[in-house]
Amino acid sequence: SRTYLITGAASGIGRATAELLCAQGHTVIGADLKDSDISADLATAEGRAELVTRARELAGGRLDAVVACAGLAHADPLTIKVNHFGAVATFEGLHPLLASGTDPRALVIGSVDAVHPTDSAIVDAALAGDEEAAVAASRLAVDRGEGHLVYSSSKAAISRWIRRTAVKDDWAGAGIPLNAVGPGVILTPLTRPLLDDPETRRLVEQAVPMPLHGHARPEQLAPLIAWLTSPENTHVTGQVVFADGGADAVLRGDRI
Ligand code: NAD
């Protein structure tokens, strides 16, 4: 059995993944704002440090896999802090524990929104590792009425970070696959308010068309996450694996 650390484990995709892995007999250490083994706010430097310190204690110095599910979709600079910088801090901070693990694997939840229009100032600042500039660019987007770009930009940035980082010496060279899963619309507390309102529901359905099976439950995503972070995944790395009912194929078409 393996030891997994999952951020965002108290709700939605993180919780469903934790439940599946526990049912398979693995040990799961959960992290979230509250209601988890580790309470840590991944928007802050203190929370990111707390995650690493507590993970080291609870896991006994080694982890076999890290799954970064913590995230939010607010039209607010907080979204770039958690979705991009919180995930990067999770992977960088826990890398030494993974390096001591058996068949180590790492994965973040991206989004099909990464293929939507983005704000290049936010994405570029995020990829340069400049959190202050990324927050400032996010605030500008919000101020000019384009706050929705903060979320798509956070997902584009973390997807590109994954691709750049996965092939480096300390990941691929150390035998650690690093991937993203890109969901379409999953029925979780994150999307419930959008889907409950008929007006925003129509906008969501337009923006993320899902011809195959429609909106998904988080339990339908968990097996893919489990496989990508299992020892069976020996060669998939640097990928954003879309699990989106066909949304990426509709939106991007031939652009591959
Ligand atoms: P959710 O709201 O059910 O779960 C997200 C969890 O992240 C929550 O428990 C929340 O407390 C935690 N979190 C938020 N901010 C945090 C912080 N600062 N520090 C620590 N934890 C924090 O949402 P979900 O739908 O399960 O989303 C999980 C991930 O999947 C997110 O990255 C989201 O962007 C992504 N995603 C979701 C969908 C969807 O349709 N639900 C689609 C694409 C991508």
Side-chain angles (χ1 to χ4, degrees):
S1 98
R2 290 162 65 72
T3 301
Y4 288 74
L5 185 133
I6 301 182
T7 71
S11 177
I13 298 166
R15 184 158 86 182
T17 304
E19 284 171 0
L20 175 67
L21 292 166
C22 285
Q24 291 175 345
H26 301 297
T27 300
V28 174
I29 299 167
D32 209 304
L33 289 170
K34 56 184 174 65
D35 303 326
S36 233
D37 303 308
I38 301 173
S39 296
D41 180 354
L42 296 175
T44 67
E46 305 76 57
R48 294 168 190 166
E50 174 75 2
L51 172 75
V52 176
T53 305
R54 292 284 290 134
R56 197 180 295 126
E57 288 167 8
L58 292 172
R62 47 182 294 275
L63 282 170
D64 302 317
V66 171
V67 184
C69 300
L72 71 169
H74 299 170
D76 186 280
L78 189 59
T79 296
I80 189 75
K81 289 178 86 70
V82 178
N83 294 9
H84 180 81
F85 290 95
V88 169
T90 299
F91 293 130
E92 290 182 345
L94 299 176
H95 184 277
L97 301 185
L98 275 176
S100 303
T102 304
D103 298 321
R105 309 284 183 257
L107 181 139
V108 67
I109 310 300
S111 173
V112 76
D113 273 50
V115 309
H116 281 151
T118 57
D119 178 327
S120 59
I122 302 174
V123 177
D124 291 349
L127 287 168
D130 189 339
E131 189 161 2
E132 226 171 278
V135 165
S138 300
R139 196 158 287 130
L140 285 177
V142 173
D143 289 347
R144 63 170 192 270
E146 293 189 310
H148 60 283
L149 294 180
V150 181
Y151 183 74
S152 59
S153 301
S154 76
K155 295 304 185 178
I158 195 63
S159 301
R160 289 179 204 173
W161 186 88
I162 289 287
R163 291 179 72 72
R164 293 177 183 190
T165 307
V167 292
K168 291 186 176 167
D169 282 351
D170 45 354
W171 292 90
I176 314 175
L178 173 63
N179 290 290
V181 161
V185 179
I186 311 293
L187 302 166
T188 71
L190 183 133
T191 48
R192 193 172 301 137
L194 293 170
L195 298 175
D196 281 352
D197 173 352
E199 179 67 15
T200 50
R201 185 186 183 95
R202 208 171 41 77
L203 294 174
V204 167
E205 282 167 356
Q206 237 167 40
V208 185
M210 297 177 68
L212 178 72
H213 296 325
H215 298 161
R217 287 176 285 107
E219 309 85 80
Q220 293 174 309
L221 203 61
L224 175 63
I225 298 167
W227 186 83
L228 285 166
T229 55
S230 76
E232 277 190 50
N233 175 20
T234 54
H235 283 78
V236 181
T237 200
Q239 294 299 313
V240 180
V241 181
F242 291 106
D244 61 359
D248 172 53
V250 173
L251 295 169
R252 267 203 309 176
D254 287 342
R255 280 178 291 124
I256 183 122

